[in-house]
Amino acid sequence: MDFDDTPEEAEYRAGVRRALEEHAAELLHVGAGEETVDAATAEAELRRTQRVLYEAGLVGVTWPREHGGRGGTLVQQAIVQQELARARIPALVNHIGLGMCGPTVIAHGSDDQRRRYLPRLLRADDVWCQLFSEPAAGSDLAALRTTAVRDGDDWVVNGQKVWTTLAHVADHGILLARTDPQRPKHAGLTMFVVDMHAPGVTVRPLRQMIGSAGFNEVFFDDVRIPDSERLGEPGEGWRVALTTLMNERVAIGGAGSDLGVPVETLVAHARQRLPQLDHDRQVLARQAVGRAVVASLATRYTGYRRFTELSRGGVPGPEASAGKLAGTAAAKLVADAGVRLLGDDAVYAATAEGDETWQRSQGFLPGLAIAGGTDQVLRNILGERVLGLPPEPRSDKSAPFAGGAR
Ligand SMILES: Cc1cc2nc3c(=O)[nH]c(=O)nc-3n(C[C@H](O)[C@H](O)[C@H](O)COP(=O)(O)OP(=O)(O)OC[C@H]3O[C@@H](n4cnc5c(N)ncnc54)[C@H](O)[C@@H]3O)c2cc1C
């Protein structure tokens, strides 16, 4: 791939930079040592930031125009992402909506749902979350037990979800529920759009080891969802969920951007810190930095190759799983090397320079190796779909869920 902008791309990039400079005062920026901003403490500013960016044409770049997007290319989307990172704009508050829920509504929603939901999602008037995982259903998502039972024009939902990112600020969620326990586990599921402010929805934040509470437990007690909020046909929920999951892996492992702290930041940090370490620590830190740089650049350039294929009309496949697996591993090497360079300062939450980038990244990355498919599950996918190894035995695939299949 050619790493230089074409004249059209350079012009597009200049326009993006102009827009970001013009609106700088209205946009939230992350400070030194921060990667993103806690959605609960800065919700209003994050929503405003996304709205301003949307009005400047920088949100929904690749979404079709008829759904409020810009009908742009993947390369334009990547340029916007690079420029937002350069301007130190935090992750968009509706990143789950933009990356996963919106594309699912576009693919499976009715015209009425698309009209009602998509423009508000793009402007962050409504924030969205993804209600899939449960206490006994994560990697084996089709084993979920939250039920939706038809009652007149409504469905009545009971059950519990967990690890739901952004549920504490969300207005809507896409909810996968069991509607027919007599059918095999993948066949008895249906997808809905749920109003997170509806009576019977209770959200309880879960605090992570880095201190923030980005995800939640969500309880449903007799929550009524009108049938008009069903996404796809009854019993078709698994097919709808696969659209969401495919978009999730592309969103996380996608286009070769670094998943944690950019490796260039590590190199700058190494230049500054290495001379301050004694000889033995310096040797070990140099090795750690070297390993991290090699892994990061290999992952980044492999991602660019995948990105080139996609921009030429290719369809995302198991490469997105490989990208997420390798990207997470490389990001961990970068964070570990960053912490090693701090030497004794690493034991404090913030160092003498007030820079807690490395500790936060190190604390956050184990979660990234679980979210959107654990490392082990991604290896299974690669083993089966890329290497052609025999699939795991699955005795419960065709038995009715209610018969005890799990
Ligand atoms: C930061 C973060 C954000 C998240 N956000 C959301 C969200 O917004 N919405 C949502 O619905 N969920 C979310 N999740 C949940 C996430 O999707 C699940 O945690 C994930 O799918 C794993 O499921 P689990 O936690 O139940 O672990 P389990 O599936 O119980 O896995 C436990 C261990 O067993 C291993 N394992 C399981 N099955 C196999 C197998 N077949 N072969 C080999 N090893 C296996 C796993 O790799 C893991 O090490 C989030 C998770 C995290 C960490």
Side-chain angles (χ1 to χ4, degrees):
M1 119 168 237
D2 184 352
F3 295 108
D4 294 327
D5 286 344
T6 61
E8 296 78 38
E9 286 159 9
E11 196 183 320
Y12 183 78
R13 188 183 295 278
V16 174
R17 282 193 191 173
R18 263 198 313 277
L20 291 177
E21 278 160 26
E22 195 180 313
H23 296 285
E26 301 156 80
L27 300 170
L28 187 64
H29 296 81
V30 286
E34 289 176 329
E35 288 303 302
T36 191
V37 174
D38 186 351
T41 53
E43 185 187 343
E45 290 116 299
L46 283 166
R47 285 187 191 241
R48 188 195 61 224
T49 294
Q50 184 175 322
R51 188 164 55 251
V52 170
L53 291 173
Y54 174 67
E55 276 156 12
L58 305 182
V59 176
V61 174
T62 57
W63 282 32
R65 282 184 185 277
E66 68 262 36
H67 301 316
R70 294 276 154 177
T73 64
L74 279 166
V75 173
Q76 289 175 337
Q77 170 70 55
I79 290 173
V80 169
Q81 261 159 3
Q82 287 165 0
E83 293 305 319
L84 291 178
R86 187 171 163 276
R88 298 202 55 76
I89 309 287
L92 297 184
V93 65
N94 227 355
H95 60 97
I96 305 264
L98 292 163
M100 281 85 100
C101 308
T104 308
V105 173
I106 289 176
H108 301 280
S110 63
D111 286 344
D112 173 55
Q113 288 170 332
R114 293 185 188 130
R115 244 191 326 271
R116 277 190 290 129
Y117 292 133
L118 298 175
R120 293 182 58 84
L121 185 159
L122 286 163
R123 289 168 47 88
D125 292 337
D126 296 332
V127 170
W128 286 62
C129 64
Q130 178 188 338
L131 297 146
F132 285 17
S133 304
E134 298 185 2
S139 303
D140 187 10
L141 179 60
L144 63 84
R145 295 173 194 192
T146 294
T147 55
V149 176
R150 187 76 194 245
D151 180 27
D153 285 342
D154 293 344
W155 295 80
V156 180
V157 178
N158 281 286
Q160 184 200 341
K161 298 289 174 179
V162 73
W163 318 125
T164 318
T165 304
L166 291 174
H168 55 308
V169 293
D171 304 288
H172 293 296
I174 50 172
L175 169 81
L176 192 58
R178 185 162 307 281
T179 45
D180 189 351
Q182 300 310 323
R183 300 193 67 197
K185 64 180 188 179
H186 293 86
L189 303 172
T190 303
M191 189 77 83
F192 300 92
V193 175
V194 61
D195 174 357
M196 294 298 287
H197 308 295
V201 178
T202 307
V203 177
R204 292 221 310 244
L206 293 165
R207 197 156 292 283
Q208 291 156 265
M209 67 173 156
I210 49 173
S212 51
F215 51 31
N216 308 266
E217 294 179 294
V218 182
F219 298 86
F220 295 91
D221 294 300
D222 289 332
V223 175
R224 298 191 81 86
I225 302 182
D227 187 50
S228 57
E229 302 310 303
R230 179 167 39 76
L231 211 48
E233 294 302 313
E236 288 284 298
W238 187 250
R239 198 169 67 87
V240 181
L242 288 181
T243 304
T244 317
L245 296 174
M246 195 176 76
N247 278 288
E248 181 171 34
R249 260 160 229 165
V250 172
I252 300 179
S257 46
D258 297 353
L259 287 177
V261 181
V263 72
E264 287 75 14
T265 309
L266 175 67
V267 173
H269 179 54
R271 289 217 168 89
Q272 195 197 356
R273 296 291 307 203
L274 275 172
Q276 299 167 24
L277 299 179
D278 64 38
H279 175 266
D280 289 354
R281 284 184 176 178
Q282 211 181 99
V283 170
L284 292 173
R286 274 179 195 281
Q287 288 171 356
V289 172
R291 270 196 299 274
V293 170
V294 170
S296 290
L297 294 183
T299 315
R300 189 186 291 177
Y301 293 136
T302 308
Y304 285 165
R305 236 189 357 248
R306 203 165 48 241
F307 178 67
T308 306
E309 276 163 31
L310 286 178
S311 65
R312 288 181 185 149
V315 178
E319 312 81 35
S321 300
K324 196 213 157 210
L325 188 62
T328 311
K332 277 184 182 166
L333 288 175
V334 170
D336 290 348
V339 170
R340 190 177 276 280
L341 283 164
L342 291 173
D344 294 341
D345 287 339
V347 295
Y348 303 110
T351 67
E353 300 117 74
D355 179 358
E356 53 181 312
T357 308
W358 305 104
Q359 288 95 331
R360 286 189 69 78
S361 191
Q362 210 180 31
F364 163 77
L365 286 167
L368 197 63
I370 297 171
T374 68
D375 284 358
Q376 291 80 1
V377 165
L378 297 181
R379 286 197 185 95
N380 282 350
I381 291 172
L382 295 174
E384 289 174 23
R385 303 217 193 126
V386 180
L387 303 178
L389 299 175
E392 289 190 316
R394 294 163 84 181
S395 57
D396 60 353
K397 215 176 162 187
S398 49
F401 185 78
R406 294 290 183 268

